[in-house]
Amino acid sequence: MTINYKPLLPETQQPIIIIGASGIVKDAHLPAYEMAGFKVFGITNRTLSKAQELAEKYNIEHVFESVADAVKNAPKNTVYDITVLPDQYIEILEQLPDGAAVLIQKPMGNDLAQAREIVAVCEKKQLVAGINFQLRFASFVSAARDLINKGIIGELYDLEFRVAVNTPWELFPLIKEHPRLEILFHSVHYIDCVRSFLGNPKSVMAKTTKHPLKKLSSSRSTIILDYGETMRVVINTNHDHAFGSHHEESFIKWEGTKGAIKAKMGLLMNYPEGLPDVFEYATIDSENNNQYEWKQIALEGSWFPEAFIGTMSNLMRFKEGSDAKLHASVQDVLDTMKIVEACYISTTKGGIALDEL
């Protein structure tokens, strides 16, 4: 069986200008763009030396002193790739040419109010704007989507994300101190991925918690998304599993009326080196007493860096007219941010106290 999971590439040349030079640019954006054959025309960063270092490593011809300088010298049909923290988004978006294409790093703001401001600026300037929710385009997610669309596992009724790993937050100093760490910067990926399969839930229940020995605002979360009486959706994350690899977990599991799919997300285990992904699916084996048989399929690429090709390709293809839909548009992602906000409200309000019963 053929599984379609690789992203289609744009048909036209669209030069990229990257705004920001953080670790994610070095580890994911630039390697992905190099794989895809995208042309990175220039880069800028507040600390210019960081931009210069990446320019030298990846043969980027232009290093700009500022966003204004980059816009002034940008070629026709440029795509802007914003890779800074959310506090800087609006200031940068205001400087881009009206009608420009722009890919914005997730999350779309620090909270729902800021997310709405970002959408308003993009609409005012008529920007073709998407958010870089690249998990939607990871090979194992795209492969699962293709199998589900083909009806291989029947009607989907259960979707589970489970992460129990030892995350080295010290590798992310710019977000480590954020008051909304776990859901806003990590589980938001899973929330957005769920929406790409099921749309918006009816309601949200969530609890995000701290570790007693760490100064992080939160490092473990449980999120339940209500999609009705037969569909169960749960996101469980534990970034504090520091007891060795024996019981570490990192997977997405889809269960349907005819079969199931499980994808091990190796990236999150032994981070940043990671482990190999594993993609498996189970269907009825009619020749073996109608028992379920699990099959493992080798897929090319992973979440980092290959999935970053998908988000940029979709933006470019939508801009040129070869894709009918911008999958993670700012308008679409506004609903992802509504769910994030609902998670924090649910965490604050708490559950039903027994002494009230």
Side-chain angles (χ1 to χ4, degrees):
M1 177 177 58
T2 300
I3 303 177
N4 299 313
Y5 64 92
K6 294 183 179 180
L8 297 174
L9 296 178
E11 299 171 3
T12 57
Q13 179 82 296
Q14 299 178 51
I16 299 169
I17 289 179
I18 300 178
I19 301 171
S22 62
I24 195 72
V25 178
K26 175 176 68 72
D27 296 336
H29 291 250
L30 289 171
Y33 300 163
E34 189 173 64
M35 290 177 187
F38 297 156
K39 173 67 175 177
V40 179
F41 178 81
I43 186 170
T44 184
N45 191 63
R46 285 182 172 180
T47 305
L48 206 58
S49 60
K50 291 185 178 181
Q52 290 168 337
E53 288 174 12
L54 291 181
E56 291 175 9
K57 182 175 180 179
Y58 285 94
N59 298 314
I60 301 172
E61 187 175 355
H62 302 281
V63 176
F64 299 109
E65 293 185 356
S66 64
V67 175
D69 184 34
V71 170
K72 180 181 177 182
N73 292 281
K76 184 180 180 181
N77 216 26
T78 288
V79 175
Y80 295 91
D81 190 10
I82 299 178
T83 65
V84 298
L85 290 176
D87 287 334
Q88 303 173 50
Y89 291 170
I90 292 175
E91 174 191 352
I92 292 170
L93 291 168
E94 290 281 14
Q95 298 180 67
L96 301 186
D98 290 355
V102 55
L103 186 62
I104 307 166
Q105 188 55 269
K106 66 83 195 169
M108 192 171 74
N110 289 309
D111 52 33
L112 182 58
Q114 197 171 66
R116 285 178 166 141
E117 290 180 28
I118 290 166
V119 173
V121 171
C122 290
E123 291 181 343
K124 177 187 70 175
K125 295 180 65 63
Q126 297 183 309
L127 301 175
V128 181
I131 302 296
N132 201 348
F133 275 118
Q134 67 291 140
L135 182 59
R136 294 187 183 210
F137 295 91
S139 53
F140 48 82
V141 172
S142 294
R145 196 185 311 279
D146 188 57
L147 290 180
I148 292 168
N149 289 343
K150 289 175 177 174
I152 300 299
I153 68 167
E155 179 186 352
L156 186 65
Y157 65 78
D158 201 278
L159 178 50
E160 177 181 3
F161 292 75
R162 172 65 176 159
V163 174
V165 298
N166 188 25
T167 298
W169 291 108
E170 62 274 9
L171 296 179
F172 312 99
L174 295 179
I175 66 169
K176 184 181 176 184
E177 307 299 326
H178 201 282
R180 287 184 161 191
L181 179 59
E182 203 291 315
I183 296 176
L184 184 66
F185 285 93
H186 186 83
S187 285
V188 67
H189 278 295
Y190 310 141
I191 292 169
D192 186 75
C193 188
V194 169
R195 287 191 56 252
S196 75
F197 281 91
L198 301 174
N200 292 334
K202 296 178 180 180
S203 62
V204 176
M205 291 166 278
K207 182 67 177 179
T208 189
T209 55
K210 303 178 180 180
H211 189 282
L213 302 179
K214 299 178 182 179
K215 294 182 179 180
L216 305 174
S217 62
S218 56
S219 52
R220 287 163 291 130
S221 302
T222 295
I223 301 168
I224 299 173
L225 303 179
D226 180 6
Y227 283 91
E229 294 183 356
T230 59
M231 173 63 71
R232 184 190 78 121
V233 178
V234 61
I235 298 167
N236 268 312
T237 59
N238 175 6
H239 297 273
D240 299 320
H241 186 79
F243 313 105
S245 61
H246 185 65
H247 286 294
E248 279 194 327
E249 295 180 285
S250 177
F251 65 79
I252 311 173
K253 181 165 57 66
W254 299 259
E255 295 185 4
T257 53
K258 294 181 180 180
I261 302 166
K262 187 174 182 180
K264 174 182 173 181
M265 300 183 288
L267 169 74
L268 303 180
M269 308 174 78
N270 191 35
Y271 193 90
E273 287 80 11
L275 297 176
D277 297 330
V278 179
F279 184 82
E280 302 171 281
Y281 72 98
T283 53
I284 286 285
D285 182 1
S286 58
E287 298 181 0
N288 187 24
N289 297 321
N290 286 330
Q291 297 295 309
Y292 281 95
E293 178 187 14
W294 282 93
K295 298 178 182 178
Q296 184 171 322
I297 303 294
L299 303 175
E300 294 179 18
S302 185
W303 186 351
F304 278 43
E306 289 86 358
F308 286 71
I309 297 173
T311 44
M312 181 57 80
S313 286
N314 177 230
L315 175 62
M316 289 180 170
R317 287 176 57 84
F318 181 76
K319 176 71 172 177
E320 72 189 8
S322 52
D323 269 359
K325 182 178 181 180
L326 180 56
H327 291 288
S329 69
V330 292
Q331 291 83 3
D332 176 81
V333 169
L334 186 59
D335 284 339
T336 296
M337 296 302 294
K338 287 179 181 178
I339 296 173
V340 169
E341 198 70 21
C343 287
Y344 285 108
I345 293 171
S346 178
T347 287
T348 301
K349 286 187 174 181
I352 305 300
L354 295 185
D355 59 8
E356 295 178 2
L357 299 178

